[in-house]
Amino acid sequence: MSEFDYEIRPVTDQHTPLPPTAHGFTARKVRDTTYSWERFFREKPFALVIVGFLLVSLFSSQWLGERSYLFRTSLIDSQPIEFTGTTMPVQQMADWSQLTPAERQMRFDQLPAGKIIPIPDYTPNFTDVRGTTITDKDRINAYITYSVPYMGNYELDGTAHSGSHLAVDIKAPTGTPVHAIANGVVTKAEASKYGSGLHVVVTHVGVPALDNANTRTTYRSSYSHLSAEFVQVGQTVTKGEVIGQVGSTGMSTTPHLHFQIDTNQAPFSPYWPFTWKEIEAAGINSFFDGVRMGYGKQKAYQYTIDPMAWVMQYQDFIPTADLTVEAGLSTETTLGQMLKANTTPEPPANEGYVPSAASQPVAEPQWITPEAYTAGEVTQVTLTIDPATDLSAGVRLRTSLGDQAFLSPTYLTAHQLQNGQATVDLLTQSTAGMKVIAEGAWGQTASAVIDGQEKPTTVTPPLPQPKLIPDSAPEPPAEPQLQPAPAPEPHSTLKDITDHQYAEAIKALHQRGVINGYQDQTYRPDNEVNRAETVKLLIEGLGIDLAYTVDLPFHDTEPNTWYVPYLETALTHQYVTGYDDNTFRPARSVTRAEFVTLAARTTGAQIPQPYHRVAKDVRSSDWFAPYIAYALEHEALPANRVYRVQPHESITRGEAAFILYKLLNI
């Protein structure tokens, strides 16, 4: 059929012969194409609605996509994800200072293994090394890696807060793994032809704020210009999980990761502080010029935070039972942030865990405890655990007496339990019955009730009378002098240090009489060190004569306890102080930062200014940074393979012996 319709018309004269072309029909055009569409929509009005919806979807899909995460985020706002700290978004990097021109064009998986290094340190400003003859590999790698710092410009001058680039650009070869910086939920995973290109947004609910660790908030981390993504919207990701690979999609001129953190008030993510229309109206020629000139800087500060600052602040996050920041061994500083968490913490770095087969039965952990303990004396309890138990979150230890009893250690890693058991020291002044409790991924295991008893009365020789203090203010105590160490014994009798990494230091201090083992001739180098042991270790290490010149002002110390002479001596020389509530908490664990600081001060360390070589997880502004730098400079502080010292982790007996041994021999 053609576009013409035909109608029959009568012939007037039936006897007149018809011409050859006559057939009794007359052609007449009665409908054209336009009319047919009009008639179609008039007869089927619902079709017009469908077409309109398709047009709206076609032209607004990108706008809706950019904001659809707001609805998805609202669904999880009331569901905080356990916060276990942060990690770097990129953890391995090309050694830019050593790459050949050909290697600079390679993908990450094509680079020689010897030219892949841990990602360099990030600091707010980097030295511009262009046109210089600088040979410091670390500075070169840091400058190239962090091509545009937070709120930087596009001048490649390494400066932060000089423009309105509200993220950190991390230059990396295509294919470099990108990691989620913290636990969270993926609320956006899509590709854009322009702008962010292929990008992922992860929402972190209930995390500590950058400016106040006691304030919980919601942040949205975004990872842009990816070459591949391995997650989907709604997926829960864990800290360190690989979510994509570095690329150069969208508005990008070279492979890099655009790493950004938006606050929960940002109208969309990844947020950007200006539009094309706004910079055109302001007479700015290009997007790049807008960043260089700092256009929209105020909005950028309002809706984003420095992403690397937040990551570095909580890399050594340690969940604890309270949110308070407690006083430390020094009156100048605190012991660091103690942050609240509802569940057990992530195990320290490099503590491996291999899950057991699902079909393998796992026995319940068990406590081996005595029937009774003696108040004021250390009692040992043992936790036995099936090697197939899930130890991915470690084991948190506590007692039913709360703060009235102290345990050492208070946290066990998979490594410490690799032999199926761990011995724990218990100390309390109470005589109430108590239970010892272990908490882990399996749940909770409590011991039977351990009854308490008073310490038997013994006849002890009277302590020397303290010196009379004149009415006038006393002269400050003289600086202690290092005394000759006792002559070494023929050999160490400690049974459990033979293959330990700190065996040499432990043996040397033991032979000099600085440290002692337990009655079973063990040292237990992996147990934590408490405050009382720290004081004794330092006083013995310095060879200072014990003094009885002060009355202990603490409510939680007994006059005849073994550590009292050492504590009195330390107070006399003003090495230590107590807490604001007039307690000393002798059984409380000591962190690496605290021990290094106290050991450096008591051994008379001369801290150079400026100091150098601070570890990756120590900021130059940290109160303990000079002492950490001093210890590292003299190789007196062990750092892991990625040059982190984990300053807020509890120090072990082995580590304490190693640090003191090194400092005493400088």
Side-chain angles (χ1 to χ4, degrees):
M1 294 291 292
S2 69
E3 64 177 347
F4 296 96
D5 290 340
Y6 294 88
E7 62 180 6
I8 300 175
R9 298 185 64 184
V11 181
T12 56
D13 187 355
Q14 298 182 10
H15 301 286
T16 304
L18 296 173
T21 57
H23 41 60
F25 295 93
T26 300
R28 182 169 65 88
K29 185 176 182 180
V30 296
R31 184 188 303 165
D32 56 24
T33 303
T34 303
Y35 177 76
S36 66
W37 281 112
E38 291 176 350
R39 181 176 177 180
F40 174 79
F41 287 122
R42 186 170 60 251
E43 294 175 353
K44 298 177 176 62
F46 186 74
L48 188 61
V49 176
I50 296 175
V51 172
F53 176 77
L54 292 174
L55 290 173
V56 171
S57 300
L58 176 64
F59 291 105
S60 64
S61 58
Q62 181 175 348
W63 185 90
L64 291 172
E66 289 179 349
R67 289 156 177 79
S68 62
Y69 78 92
L70 292 171
F71 173 73
R72 294 191 291 267
T73 303
S74 68
L75 296 179
I76 66 169
D77 270 346
S78 59
Q79 305 173 29
I81 305 296
E82 176 192 1
F83 181 70
T84 59
T86 57
T87 190
M88 295 288 279
V90 175
Q91 298 178 2
Q92 290 184 303
M93 183 56 60
D95 188 348
W96 298 111
S97 66
Q98 301 300 310
L99 296 188
T100 65
E103 289 170 340
R104 287 177 177 268
Q105 305 304 316
M106 291 182 179
R107 288 179 51 87
F108 180 80
D109 54 10
Q110 296 173 329
L111 291 173
K115 295 189 177 181
I116 297 176
I117 61 174
I119 190 167
D121 293 340
Y122 175 88
T123 55
N125 292 282
F126 299 90
T127 303
D128 188 347
V129 300
R130 294 173 296 174
T132 69
T133 57
I134 187 170
T135 58
D136 187 331
K137 289 171 51 178
D138 292 339
R139 291 173 64 188
I140 293 173
N141 284 325
Y143 170 76
I144 296 176
T145 297
Y146 303 105
S147 53
V148 184
Y150 178 66
M151 297 304 290
N153 53 53
Y154 284 124
E155 299 293 344
L156 300 181
D157 57 4
T159 61
H161 306 284
S162 57
S164 56
H165 186 270
L166 40 56
V168 174
D169 278 353
I170 303 175
K171 180 177 173 59
T174 298
T176 301
V178 175
H179 304 260
I181 58 170
N183 300 340
V185 176
V186 178
T187 48
K188 192 177 181 185
E190 62 184 46
S192 172
K193 185 177 180 181
Y194 304 105
S196 301
L198 185 64
H199 60 285
V200 171
V201 176
V202 178
T203 298
H204 313 278
V205 179
V207 297
L210 174 62
D211 57 352
N212 187 344
N214 295 330
T215 300
R216 298 292 167 151
T217 187
T218 296
Y219 287 143
R220 296 193 290 270
S221 62
S222 58
Y223 315 80
S224 301
H225 308 304
L226 304 175
S227 62
E229 62 182 26
F230 305 136
V231 293
Q232 57 186 359
V233 172
Q235 178 179 336
T236 299
V237 295
T238 57
K239 179 183 73 173
E241 182 174 343
V242 177
I243 60 176
Q245 293 179 340
V246 170
S248 187
T249 57
M251 184 178 291
S252 171
T253 58
T254 189
H256 74 285
L257 174 68
H258 176 98
F259 172 50
Q260 179 173 328
I261 294 182
D262 299 331
T263 67
N264 203 34
Q265 289 71 43
F268 56 89
S269 284
Y271 178 71
W272 195 254
F274 57 76
T275 65
W276 286 105
K277 185 176 181 179
E278 288 173 336
I279 60 174
E280 287 177 356
I284 299 174
N285 296 326
S286 71
F287 163 88
F288 298 100
D289 287 341
V291 171
R292 293 187 186 101
M293 297 172 63
Y295 191 86
K297 201 170 186 177
Q298 197 62 37
K299 289 183 179 179
Y301 282 127
Q302 180 181 357
Y303 293 123
T304 68
I305 63 170
D306 185 337
M308 294 300 293
W310 191 70
V311 167
M312 291 188 297
Q313 180 166 336
Y314 295 106
Q315 274 186 305
D316 295 311
F317 173 82
I318 304 174
T320 60
D322 58 58
L323 283 168
T324 59
V325 179
E326 299 185 286
L329 295 175
S330 166
T331 57
E332 298 174 8
T333 59
T334 66
L335 298 186
Q337 295 171 325
M338 306 296 286
L339 305 174
K340 182 178 181 180
N342 296 323
T343 55
T344 53
E346 179 191 53
N350 302 326
E351 299 291 358
Y353 164 69
V354 179
S356 60
S359 59
Q360 181 179 358
V362 180
E364 181 79 13
Q366 299 292 329
W367 282 103
I368 300 175
T369 61
E371 292 183 358
Y373 67 87
T374 301
E377 293 185 352
V378 174
T379 302
Q380 293 180 348
V381 295
T382 301
L383 177 67
T384 62
I385 199 161
D386 190 324
T389 302
D390 182 356
L391 298 177
S392 59
V395 179
R396 175 69 66 182
L397 306 177
R398 62 183 178 88
T399 74
S400 58
L401 291 183
D403 290 340
Q404 296 182 52
F406 304 98
L407 294 174
S408 178
T410 58
Y411 175 76
L412 296 171
T413 66
H415 175 72
Q416 291 171 302
L417 289 164
Q418 61 183 350
N419 295 324
Q421 68 176 30
T423 301
V424 180
D425 291 338
L426 166 66
L427 176 65
T428 181
Q429 302 295 337
S430 172
T431 57
M434 78 168 85
K435 293 182 179 181
V436 187
I437 302 166
E439 298 173 329
W442 76 88
Q444 186 180 103
T445 298
S447 70
V449 174
I450 313 172
D451 295 324
Q453 60 186 19
E454 294 284 354
K455 185 176 182 179
T457 303
T458 57
V459 178
T460 57
L463 295 176
Q465 292 297 317
K467 297 178 181 179
L468 295 177
I469 301 177
D471 294 336
S472 59
E475 293 293 327
E479 289 295 323
Q481 301 296 317
L482 293 179
Q483 302 294 327
E489 299 174 3
H491 58 81
S492 175
T493 58
L494 300 176
K495 299 185 300 185
D496 59 344
I497 66 168
T498 303
D499 299 323
H500 199 273
Q501 61 179 327
Y502 303 127
E504 179 184 355
I506 296 170
K507 185 181 296 186
L509 293 182
H510 180 59
Q511 290 175 337
R512 292 165 57 178
V514 175
I515 59 177
N516 300 312
Y518 291 88
Q519 292 181 352
D520 60 357
Q521 294 184 321
T522 62
Y523 182 67
R524 303 173 197 170
D526 294 324
N527 282 12
E528 295 175 0
V529 176
N530 60 39
R531 287 164 60 87
E533 293 170 332
T534 296
V535 170
K536 178 180 183 297
L537 183 61
L538 294 174
I539 297 300
E540 292 282 7
L542 292 169
I544 300 175
D545 292 333
L546 297 182
Y548 303 88
T549 56
V550 296
D551 291 326
L552 294 181
F554 309 121
H555 302 320
D556 57 346
T557 56
E558 294 293 331
N560 297 326
T561 311
W562 62 267
Y563 58 79
V564 166
Y566 301 98
L567 182 53
E568 288 183 328
T569 304
L571 288 172
T572 299
H573 292 287
Q574 300 179 355
Y575 289 155
V576 297
T577 60
Y579 292 88
D580 292 339
D581 59 356
N582 292 327
T583 61
F584 182 71
R585 306 176 195 178
R588 195 178 192 89
S589 297
V590 176
T591 68
R592 290 191 181 100
E594 296 161 3
F595 187 88
V596 168
T597 300
L598 189 57
R601 288 176 177 173
T602 55
T603 55
Q606 299 296 319
I607 307 299
Q609 295 292 341
Y611 50 86
H612 305 286
R613 199 184 173 200
V614 178
K616 281 189 175 181
D617 49 359
V618 177
R619 295 171 297 181
S620 58
S621 59
D622 289 331
W623 59 268
F624 49 81
Y627 304 98
I628 295 290
Y630 175 81
L632 288 172
E633 190 69 27
H634 292 86
E635 299 182 348
L637 181 63
N640 63 23
R641 61 184 178 85
V642 292
Y643 206 54
R644 301 186 189 282
V645 298
Q646 298 174 306
H648 303 298
E649 290 289 327
S650 297
I651 195 168
T652 66
R653 289 166 59 85
E655 291 170 340
F658 175 80
I659 293 169
L660 182 60
Y661 174 73
K662 286 288 190 177
L663 292 180
L664 288 174
N665 285 279
I666 293 177

